[in-house]
């Protein structure tokens, strides 16, 4: 490995997976730069040019429906969750995925999967529930 103190700009095309590019550091040296793109981030998983988001909703939100605010890398999108939505239901949001390289205005889609949020109970909560059901 060679440590270089120079800085330089490179263009990273939208929608790429991984790429490598030869970078000329000076007149005599060419070095290969490898750009690695992550395919998973938080609730998001990449599937080709589509993005899959696994969202966690409470029982109340699923039964009554809600508008879920989904932050897609700085862009907030309202996702309408219908009343009594099925768990693992797949909602499709067209054109909110990654750009398709080499195709003008072509984008993948965003798929949202609804999951039931698990409730964490403390021991005190469980003791209260036991008392309620005893009496």
């Amino acid at each position: 490995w060679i440590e270089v103190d120079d800085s330089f700009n490179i263009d990273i095309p939208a929608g790429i997976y991984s790429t490598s590019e030869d970078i000329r550091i000076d007149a005599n040296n060419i070095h290969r730069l490898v750009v690695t793109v992550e395919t998973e981030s938080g609730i998001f998983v990449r599937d080709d040019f589509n993005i899959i988001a696994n969202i966690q909703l409470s029982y109340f939100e699923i039964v009554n429906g809600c508008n879920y605010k989904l932050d897609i890398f700085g862009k907030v999108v309202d996702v309408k969750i219908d009343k009594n939505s099925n768990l693992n239901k797949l909602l499709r949001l067209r054109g909110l995925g990654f750009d398709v390289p080499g195709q003008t205005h072509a984008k993948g889609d965003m798929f949202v999967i609804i999951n039931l949020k698990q409730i964490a109970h403390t021991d005190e909560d469980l003791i209260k529930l036991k008392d309620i059901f005893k009496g």
Side-chain angles (χ1 to χ4, degrees):
W1 296 98
I2 298 173
E3 188 173 321
V4 179
D5 292 332
D6 294 336
S7 65
F8 52 90
N9 294 322
I10 60 169
D11 290 324
I12 300 176
I16 65 164
Y17 276 96
S18 292
T19 188
S20 62
E21 188 170 329
D22 291 330
I23 304 293
R24 185 173 296 280
I25 302 297
D26 58 40
N28 299 318
N29 295 313
I30 295 178
H31 299 279
R32 181 153 294 248
L33 175 69
V34 177
V35 177
T36 303
V37 178
E38 292 185 33
T39 58
E40 192 169 324
S41 174
I43 65 169
F44 300 106
V45 176
R46 183 173 182 162
D47 179 31
D48 198 16
F49 298 105
N50 300 316
I51 302 172
I52 300 169
N54 283 287
I55 63 172
Q56 305 290 319
L57 297 177
S58 69
Y59 178 76
F60 181 82
E61 290 171 316
I62 292 170
V63 169
N64 294 302
C66 67
N67 282 324
Y68 183 85
K69 299 218 180 284
L70 181 61
D71 187 341
I72 307 171
F73 311 113
K75 178 182 179 183
V76 178
V77 175
D78 280 326
V79 179
K80 185 179 183 324
I81 308 298
D82 293 330
K83 289 182 178 183
N84 298 314
S85 288
N86 292 328
L87 292 179
N88 299 319
K89 180 178 182 176
L90 199 61
L91 304 174
R92 184 178 189 174
L93 307 174
R94 294 185 187 274
L96 292 180
F98 290 103
D99 291 338
V100 178
Q103 296 185 25
T104 308
H105 306 295
K107 292 181 79 95
D109 296 326
M110 167 74 67
F111 293 93
V112 178
I113 301 173
I114 299 171
N115 297 289
L116 179 62
K117 185 186 302 182
Q118 297 298 316
I119 301 170
H121 294 287
T122 63
D123 289 339
E124 290 175 17
D125 291 335
L126 294 175
I127 291 169
K128 287 178 188 174
L129 281 174
K130 282 182 186 177
D131 291 340
I132 291 170
F133 288 109
K134 280 183 188 177

